[in-house]
């Protein structure tokens, strides 16, 4: 009798260990340099302006905390360890809240699996996502959802339970959509048997549900109409706080992990109610189904983590441009097996020019519609790559323009601020360069880079001794335009 629970507990712990190992393989081992790029294309600003912006954005505090944690992706192993630890904590809380029967506890891993996929599924769309803290914010929001359900499980009185969940919807501004979903999951979560009030007549369930439904419908509208300066669109009011993903036919795959996470959080509390009893013939079949679901989720994550060779090459080439390793870029161009895309051709031609070859232009054969479903994102990647390319070709005004336009449209990023600093120094606008550089001086891990370039801002005579600045042409030919 002791063996079965012990065996099941060991199986659950083994499933968690397998998930941890799988996550490390898919994140820092296989995609570590991409995570490093995600950090470069993000920023956490410690000033009041950034905080004030988040306070007026539904789900803003999740984004604020997520942006702070994203800084640790500067070291992909450290950032991944923090993210995986949060997923393990989430799984343990799910297991404690819904207490699925032995052998079925592995389903508590599903929310973490979908959150892992939401990171792995990212590609060049990251360039256009204006959502600070994307890597961590949904995880923090999901932990809040399960915590709300955990507290609701302890409240046996339906009236007080409804009051509590209705009050949770008032967290719409800091948590956004996750506060509303937390209230719904709390409704579905069964009361703990140890906390049921068996000495009094139970109130009808609908008495507790009614105020929650009313609060879910009204609280976002009240914030929208009466909270001064609240950002957001009335058409998407109830999903504010979710990642700012495009709703287009070819971008819907980015929404699939979020949809799977939402459905899972709604089904887990229901499964706690309808699970077959121990010893039932159905229980064995359900255990096999649990195993199949976890395997399918793992396969989904493995497929999502497979990036095209072109995308991987582009990210690596961008890193080599920043360190001016033109030989490595040329090596990638000469050894890639897939046909280089336009973005790669731009970077490869820049490297060829720096190595003493190259051509004055790059021909772009527009792909057919049926062969390039992400052509808009390909254009964004090209515009993104043009920031460093223009800079290294001496077209510093063009580089500054692209960096500024992308910052306005898609939000501030470390990457863009670095080139704003570089271009401002090249233009002799040292006060402007200092303003941008101060933002980087306040970051956790890009401070060393900012301190290095602050030397040129404070002492412009050192510019002539810089290997990087000396490599930038002063008057590029008008024909040298990519």
């Amino acid at each position: 009798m002791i063996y079965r629970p012990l065996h099941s507990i060991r199986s659950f712990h083994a499933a968690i260990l397998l998930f941890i190992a799988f996550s490390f393989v898919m994140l820092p081992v296989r995609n570590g340099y991409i995570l490093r790029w995600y950090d470069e294309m993000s920023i956490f600003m410690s000033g009041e302006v950034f905080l004030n912006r988040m306070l007026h954005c539904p789900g803003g505090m999740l984004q604020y905390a997520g942006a702070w944690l994203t800084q640790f992706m500067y070291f992909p192993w450290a950032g991944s360890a923090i993210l995986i630890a949060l997923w393990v904590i989430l799984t343990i809380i799910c297991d404690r809240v819904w207490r699925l029967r032995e052998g079925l506890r592995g389903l508590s891993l599903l929310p973490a699996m979908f959150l892992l996929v939401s990171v792995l599924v990212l590609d060049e769309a990251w360039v256009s996502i204006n959502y600070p803290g994307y890597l961590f914010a949904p995880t923090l929001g999901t932990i809040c959802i399960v915590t709300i359900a955990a507290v609701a499980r302890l409240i046996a009185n339906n009236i007080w339970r409804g009051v509590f969940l209705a009050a949770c919807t008032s967290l719409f501004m800091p948590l956004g959509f996750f506060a509303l979903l937390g209230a719904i999951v709390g409704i579905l979560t069964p009361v703990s048997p140890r906390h049921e009030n068996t000495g009094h007549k139970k109130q009808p369930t609908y008495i507790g549900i009614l105020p929650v439904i009313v609060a879910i419908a009204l609280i976002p509208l009240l914030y929208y109409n009466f909270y001064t300066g609240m950002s957001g669109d009335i058409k998407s009011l109830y999903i504010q706080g979710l990642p700012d993903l495009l709703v287009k036919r070819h971008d819907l795959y980015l929404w699939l992990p979020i949809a799977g996470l939402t459905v899972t959080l709604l089904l887990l509390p229901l499964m706690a109610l309808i699970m077959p009893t121990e010893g039932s013939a159905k229980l064995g079949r359900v255990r096999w189904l649990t195993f199949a679901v976890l395997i399918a989720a793992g396969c989904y994550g493995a497929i999502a983590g497979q990036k095209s060779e072109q995308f991987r090459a582009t990210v690596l080439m961008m890193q080599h441009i920043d360190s001016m390793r033109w030989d490595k870029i040329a090596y990638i161009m000469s050894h890639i097996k897939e046909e280089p895309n336009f973005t790669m051709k731009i970077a490869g031609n820049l490297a060829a020019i720096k190595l003493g070859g190259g051509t004055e232009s790059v021909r772009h054969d527009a792909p057919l519609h049926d062969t390039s479903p992400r052509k808009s994102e390909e254009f964004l990647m090209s515009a993104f790559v043009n920031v460093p390319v223009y800079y290294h070709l001496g077209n510093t005004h063009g580089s500054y323009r692209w960096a500024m336009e992308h910052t306005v449209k898609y939000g501030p990023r470390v990457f863009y601020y670095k080139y704003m600093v570089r271009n401002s120094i090249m233009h002799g606008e040292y006060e402007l360069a200092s303003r941008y550089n101060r933002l980087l001086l306040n970051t956790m891990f890009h401070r060393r880079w900012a301190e290095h370039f602050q030397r040129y801002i404070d002492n412009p005579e050192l510019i002539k001794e810089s290997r990087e600045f000396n490599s930038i042409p002063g008057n590029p030919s008008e024909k040298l335009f990519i």
Side-chain angles (χ1 to χ4, degrees):
M1 295 178 65
I2 299 177
Y3 173 75
R4 282 188 177 181
L6 182 63
H7 175 72
S8 179
I9 291 173
R10 286 179 177 175
S11 299
F12 179 64
H13 291 167
I16 292 179
L17 291 176
L18 285 174
F19 170 75
I20 293 173
F22 177 72
S23 299
F24 271 112
V25 170
M26 296 306 299
L27 290 176
V29 175
R30 292 187 58 83
N31 297 298
Y33 58 91
I34 298 177
L35 297 176
R36 178 67 182 82
W37 178 56
Y38 292 160
D39 164 69
E40 196 81 12
M41 292 296 290
S42 176
I43 192 170
F44 174 80
M45 292 182 285
S46 56
E48 294 182 3
V49 174
F50 186 65
L51 177 59
N52 186 62
R53 173 193 167 194
M54 294 296 100
L55 289 175
H56 289 79
C57 175
M61 293 313 297
L62 293 177
Q63 297 179 47
Y64 187 82
W68 185 81
L69 289 171
T70 301
Q71 296 179 102
F72 290 94
M73 286 301 176
Y74 185 89
F75 304 103
W77 278 91
S80 298
I82 295 172
L83 191 54
I84 295 169
L86 290 174
W87 290 337
V88 172
I89 292 172
L90 170 63
T91 300
I92 293 173
I93 297 176
C94 288
D95 178 61
R96 296 296 177 88
V97 171
W98 293 305
R99 298 183 180 276
L100 300 181
R101 292 191 180 278
E102 303 298 347
L104 307 174
R105 297 169 66 186
L107 292 178
S108 299
L109 272 167
L110 283 180
M113 289 293 296
F114 279 113
L115 289 166
L116 169 63
V117 174
S118 71
V119 175
L120 294 175
V121 78
L122 279 178
D123 49 21
E124 63 268 17
W126 179 254
V127 178
S128 61
I129 296 177
N130 188 1
Y131 184 86
Y134 174 93
L135 301 181
F136 288 87
T139 295
L140 298 175
T142 306
I143 291 176
C144 292
I145 289 173
V146 182
T147 301
I148 291 173
V151 177
R153 188 173 188 268
L154 302 177
I155 304 175
N157 185 287
N158 285 328
I159 296 178
W160 286 112
R161 182 182 174 95
V163 170
F164 167 74
L165 293 175
C168 288
T169 62
S170 65
L171 298 173
F172 178 72
M173 281 309 299
L175 303 183
F177 168 81
F178 296 96
L180 306 182
L181 183 59
I184 296 174
V185 174
I187 293 174
L188 300 176
T189 299
V191 176
S192 173
R194 292 179 298 175
H195 295 84
E196 287 183 341
N197 187 359
T198 56
H200 298 83
K201 183 178 180 180
K202 298 180 65 175
Q203 302 86 2
T205 304
Y206 66 83
I207 293 179
I209 295 177
L210 184 60
V212 182
I213 300 300
V214 172
I216 290 174
L218 290 183
I219 292 296
L221 289 173
L222 293 175
Y223 273 117
Y224 184 82
N225 289 289
F226 297 104
Y227 187 61
T228 305
M230 174 180 166
S231 61
D233 186 1
I234 187 65
K235 295 180 180 179
S236 58
L237 180 62
Y238 293 95
I239 60 171
Q240 291 291 316
L242 288 177
D244 185 20
L245 304 174
L246 298 176
V247 186
K248 295 182 178 179
R249 181 166 59 94
H250 297 298
D251 294 302
L252 291 180
Y253 74 97
L254 295 169
W255 283 102
L256 290 179
I258 304 298
L261 172 67
T262 302
V263 172
T264 299
L265 291 172
L266 294 175
L267 289 180
L268 283 178
L270 295 179
M271 294 185 66
L273 293 172
I274 63 175
M275 283 296 100
T277 58
E278 188 69 34
S280 170
K282 294 181 179 179
L283 187 59
R285 293 194 293 269
V286 174
R287 283 174 174 168
W288 279 108
L289 180 61
T290 300
F291 179 75
V293 168
L294 292 177
I295 292 297
C299 293
Y300 181 24
I303 294 172
Q306 301 301 316
K307 305 302 178 186
S308 69
E309 191 178 10
Q310 294 173 334
F311 177 70
R312 290 175 176 270
T314 300
V315 174
L316 285 173
M317 292 167 82
M318 291 300 300
Q319 295 176 353
H320 295 321
I321 288 176
D322 199 51
S323 59
M324 297 192 298
R325 293 302 305 268
W326 313 116
D327 55 329
K328 289 186 175 293
I329 296 175
Y331 179 85
I332 292 174
M333 287 296 291
S334 61
H335 287 78
I336 189 170
K337 298 177 181 178
E338 296 181 2
E339 176 67 23
N341 57 23
F342 183 50
T343 303
M344 291 181 62
K345 291 177 183 178
I346 293 176
N349 194 53
L350 171 64
I353 291 173
K354 291 294 185 178
L355 293 172
T359 60
E360 294 181 346
S361 64
V362 175
R363 181 183 176 187
H364 183 198
D365 295 323
L368 298 175
H369 292 285
D370 58 347
T371 60
S372 182
R374 301 301 304 282
K375 60 176 182 174
S376 59
E377 297 296 347
E378 182 182 343
F379 168 76
L380 285 175
M381 281 294 284
S382 300
F384 159 72
V385 171
N386 276 340
V387 173
V389 169
Y390 279 6
Y391 167 75
H392 284 285
L393 289 178
N395 187 356
T396 52
H397 290 286
S399 175
Y400 183 89
R401 171 201 165 191
W402 279 114
M404 176 58 73
E405 288 187 358
H406 277 61
T407 298
V408 172
K409 188 170 184 179
Y410 302 115
R413 318 281 177 100
V414 167
F415 174 81
Y416 296 133
Y417 281 136
K418 284 183 176 181
Y419 279 95
M420 288 179 184
V421 171
R422 287 166 161 146
N423 288 306
S424 297
I425 292 175
M426 289 295 295
H427 299 158
E429 298 174 339
Y430 303 116
E431 183 178 350
L432 181 62
S434 180
R435 291 182 180 180
Y436 293 134
N437 208 45
R438 276 198 295 269
L439 297 173
L440 299 175
L441 285 169
N442 289 325
T443 60
M444 193 178 299
F445 301 115
H446 296 281
R447 184 181 306 159
R448 183 176 299 178
W449 184 98
E451 290 173 348
H452 172 76
F453 279 85
Q454 188 65 38
R455 297 187 306 118
Y456 302 115
I457 297 172
D458 297 334
N459 303 287
E461 64 275 5
L462 296 177
I463 294 176
K464 59 185 178 182
E465 301 176 6
S466 169
R467 170 175 167 263
E468 177 178 322
F469 288 131
N470 286 330
S471 69
I472 308 301
N475 296 297
S477 169
E478 292 182 359
K479 294 182 180 180
L480 197 60
F481 179 83
I482 301 183

